[in-house]
Amino acid sequence: MIVTIDGPAGAGKSSAAQELAQRLGFQVLDTGAMYRAVTLAVLRKHVAVHDETALERLLQNLRLELNPGQVLLNGEDVTLPIRSEEVTLASGAIASSPVVRRRLVHLQRTLANGKNYVCEGRDQGTIVFPDALCKFFLVADPVERAHRRQRQLVKRGLTVTVEQILHEQEERDRRDAARDLAPMVPAADAVVLDSTKMTLPQVVETMERMVRSRIQAQRSPC
Ligand code: DC
């Protein structure tokens, strides 16, 4: 069984996915972490973002492992480096590469095959798992999202103004939503949830209720 949570950065996807997966006894697939890990590898190897042949070569020698709370790139723990501002800013361009998307979509389907997963990202309900049991598209007011992001950065000892974050966020949203390949849009059958005025437990409870009712409906179709 697959549950998908898509939506823009800062809408609360990761926290909701973790909590929901725990309640349901599912595993979590953070697909943004996968794009971030590839971005880190690209930056380290100084590969040109639009050189699809070079990207293909890099992907052939790249081993990604996702453990709970940990991302390994060719055996190295890159959980923290993939969250750097440099990687965040460069990831949008890498996520627009056809060769990178093809490879990661394949990996995501392989990882989840035959298992119960909550998968979060931008294209999980539209492209990767079109037959998912339950699909959510989580949104929140841009200013609220920027404040959430600022609080995360403060925890890491970084000082950035909300205006600065808002500016970068708008740019990323625009790029994720406007790209030709796997744009960030809600699937036609996704439930759109606005988390602006909701607490995390409220968001997760709403999701859990819907997932359980779908599971119930699947078990007793009549
Ligand atoms: O959710 P995040 O900020 O960790 O995602 C990192 C980047 O990867 C961001 O630019 C959006 C992109 N992404 C994507 O294009 N498709 C996904 N399924 C997940 C993330």
Side-chain angles (χ1 to χ4, degrees):
M1 283 183 285
I2 301 289
V3 174
T4 61
I5 307 179
D6 291 306
K13 296 188 304 291
S14 297
S15 312
Q18 294 284 350
E19 183 68 28
L20 180 66
Q22 201 176 4
R23 289 187 188 200
L24 296 169
F26 285 21
Q27 296 182 70
V28 185
L29 188 59
D30 174 358
T31 60
M34 300 169 90
Y35 286 95
R36 285 171 176 273
V38 173
T39 304
L40 182 68
V42 168
L43 291 172
R44 283 178 173 177
K45 297 272 182 205
H46 305 288
V47 170
V49 174
H50 300 295
D51 186 343
E52 291 282 293
T53 313
L55 285 175
E56 178 98 67
R57 212 175 307 124
L58 177 122
L59 287 164
Q60 272 163 11
N61 298 309
L62 189 141
R63 193 163 37 87
L64 261 185
E65 287 166 78
L66 287 115
N67 302 321
Q70 187 194 48
V71 181
L72 299 180
L73 178 64
N74 293 335
E76 177 194 344
D77 186 348
V78 293
T79 313
L80 286 180
I82 62 167
R83 300 288 158 194
S84 72
E85 278 307 283
E86 196 192 2
V87 170
T88 300
L89 293 177
S91 65
I94 302 298
S96 300
S97 151
V99 65
V100 171
R101 291 210 83 86
R102 206 179 317 124
R103 175 69 185 269
L104 291 189
V105 167
H106 176 72
L107 188 56
Q108 288 155 18
R109 288 181 180 145
T110 308
L111 279 170
N113 188 26
K115 304 200 183 89
N116 295 331
Y117 260 100
V118 177
C119 303
E120 61 122 327
R122 306 289 189 284
D123 61 344
Q124 300 300 287
T126 47
I127 306 285
V128 188
F129 301 107
D131 300 325
L133 171 77
C134 214
K135 302 178 184 178
F136 297 100
F137 193 82
L138 197 57
V139 296
D141 174 74
V143 177
E144 170 62 21
R145 286 162 49 207
H147 278 287
R148 290 177 187 170
R149 174 95 182 123
Q150 192 192 37
R151 286 196 289 273
Q152 277 176 356
L153 292 173
V154 165
K155 274 191 202 156
R156 282 198 250 146
L158 298 167
T159 333
V160 192
T161 65
V162 169
E163 288 70 30
Q164 227 175 315
I165 297 171
L166 253 177
H167 177 72
E168 282 171 16
Q169 188 180 272
E170 271 170 17
E171 188 54 36
R172 288 178 67 199
D173 286 355
R174 194 194 49 73
R175 182 150 62 176
D176 285 348
R179 68 181 175 220
D180 293 335
L181 204 57
M184 177 184 67
V185 286
D189 52 350
V191 175
V192 179
L193 271 180
D194 186 338
S195 74
T196 310
K197 293 197 168 72
M198 292 170 90
T199 62
L200 178 63
Q202 286 171 334
V203 170
V204 177
E205 265 157 40
T206 308
M207 290 178 165
E208 187 185 4
R209 220 175 312 119
M210 287 186 182
V211 175
R212 290 202 186 280
S213 88
R214 292 274 166 93
I215 294 173
Q216 193 62 33
Q218 251 195 359
R219 287 191 182 139
S220 48
C222 308

